[in-house]
Amino acid sequence: MTKGADFLLDQVSVQYQNTLALDEVTLTISPGEAVGLVGPSGSGKSTLLHLFNGRGQPTDGWASVSGKRLIDYGRRDLKQLRSRIGFIDQGLNLVPNLRVSQNVIAGRLGQVGFAKSLSMLLFPSRAMLREVHELLERVGIPEKLFERTDRLSGGQQQRVALARALFQKPVALIADEPVSSVDPARARDTIELLTRISREEGLTLCMSLHNFELAREHLPRLIGLRDGKVVFDRASEEIGDEQFDALYTLEKNEMWRDGS
Ligand code: ADP
């Protein structure tokens, strides 16, 4: 897989039991693009992002990654796809009582067998530790290499999650609400870091953000989702308050109507 994966959704719907999480979504994300996904909670952002590393599948329509439809990926190919798409979850999925180095090394475990994984974690080579250290330098916390992960602040843990994703040698970075649990100043730092590193590495970046302003400030293209539908998809500089209203005002009206 070459750097800068591209993603294509063609009339994609995803249905969970009684919920239509995505409703005929069509969009293309080109190699090396940086795109923000915005919309209220429950609008389908996570469902959409999970299609990009094959964690989810469309119920209807076609989803393709790097020119190949998800449905045509075999089990082994899907595993490989997941190991090459850096996915940063809201919960970060770090193991709290491991050292930072071990959490970063864990990024590559999907690419090797069990025995090799164990030896990488327990007895990392000097070369591997050097590589981890360089990544920690890039994300601004080189001094934390051997620190226990749960001793780090929320913002520092986000940097570990980013370093772990980069250690995968990813072709794209996908981040699902990566800054929802930190204060706005830290959130801004992390988003800046994510966008800068993706640009420098030529990685495609797609992240969902609850904070509309932050998204508009840092990502050149925004896709607005509401009730599983794309409400807008355009350059951030063209996005005004009307677009924000289209996503959120109705919600307010609905709240009034519900009497809450
Ligand atoms: P967002 O990321 O924008 O908050 P999600 O993609 O998580 O939205 O969810 C979209 C809708 O699908 C919501 O109504 C949510 O409750 C529902 N949903 C998400 N995952 C599941 C699931 N595994 N089973 C049933 N419903 C789900």
Side-chain angles (χ1 to χ4, degrees):
M1 280 181 117
T2 49
K3 257 189 196 175
D6 61 278
F7 302 101
L8 183 134
L9 303 183
D10 184 7
Q11 296 277 306
V12 165
S13 297
V14 174
Q15 174 95 38
Y16 301 111
Q17 294 100 34
N18 301 324
T19 309
L20 187 57
L22 289 180
D23 188 2
E24 300 194 349
V25 171
T26 296
L27 58 89
T28 307
I29 298 178
S30 305
E33 243 195 307
V35 178
L37 210 53
V38 288
S41 178
S43 56
K45 302 183 296 298
S46 298
T47 304
L48 198 156
L49 292 177
H50 285 166
L51 293 170
F52 290 165
N53 75 341
R55 253 202 255 180
Q57 288 274 356
T59 323
D60 260 311
W62 306 110
S64 306
V65 180
S66 292
K68 184 167 163 178
R69 296 191 308 191
L70 279 187
I71 203 165
D72 297 327
Y73 277 82
R75 257 175 64 134
R76 197 180 275 245
D77 296 342
L78 264 185
K79 194 170 169 224
Q80 203 216 358
L81 174 71
R82 273 178 216 146
S83 72
R84 298 303 303 280
I85 305 273
F87 203 105
I88 302 171
D89 256 315
Q90 201 167 339
L92 303 183
N93 282 335
L94 298 170
V95 184
N97 56 359
L98 286 188
R99 292 175 196 275
V100 166
S101 57
Q102 291 171 309
N103 266 305
V104 175
I105 288 169
R108 215 173 275 167
L109 299 187
Q111 298 169 16
V112 296
F114 178 72
K116 175 99 177 154
S117 300
L118 212 57
S119 83
M120 268 166 67
L121 271 181
L122 296 177
F123 313 108
S125 65
R126 266 171 180 276
M128 187 169 282
L129 282 176
R130 203 173 308 122
E131 206 181 331
V132 176
H133 189 254
E134 275 166 20
L135 280 176
L136 292 176
E137 243 164 16
R138 286 205 72 186
V139 301
I141 49 166
E143 73 285 4
K144 303 294 183 192
L145 182 65
F146 295 120
E147 189 90 50
R148 253 179 68 139
T149 308
D150 54 6
R151 303 232 169 92
L152 269 55
S153 70
Q156 290 169 335
Q157 290 192 15
Q158 285 170 347
R159 284 157 195 261
V160 177
L162 173 57
R164 182 188 53 189
L166 292 171
F167 193 70
Q168 288 177 239
K169 295 193 186 300
V171 293
L173 283 179
I174 308 291
D176 192 2
E177 299 276 2
V179 292
S180 56
S181 55
V182 293
D183 63 79
R186 292 279 161 284
R188 182 162 274 110
D189 284 352
T190 305
I191 302 294
E192 266 171 22
L193 192 65
L194 262 167
T195 48
R196 179 169 57 76
I197 287 184
S198 303
R199 200 171 45 242
E200 287 168 359
E201 297 282 321
L203 303 175
T204 313
L205 171 69
C206 186
M207 75 171 108
S208 66
L209 280 176
H210 208 73
N211 187 322
F212 192 81
E213 277 316 313
L214 215 50
R216 192 157 55 171
E217 218 173 285
H218 293 284
L219 295 151
R221 171 183 168 200
L222 293 189
I223 300 173
L225 275 185
R226 198 188 151 82
D227 293 334
K229 288 196 181 69
V230 174
V231 180
F232 58 82
D233 178 356
R234 50 167 63 190
S236 302
E237 60 201 25
E238 293 170 9
I239 294 177
D241 292 344
E242 326 79 75
Q243 271 74 36
F244 179 83
D245 289 347
L247 283 188
Y248 294 99
T249 313
L250 201 60
E251 189 176 42
K252 253 186 249 158
N253 291 342
E254 282 163 0
M255 277 160 56
W256 282 119
R257 206 170 50 230
D258 293 346
S260 43

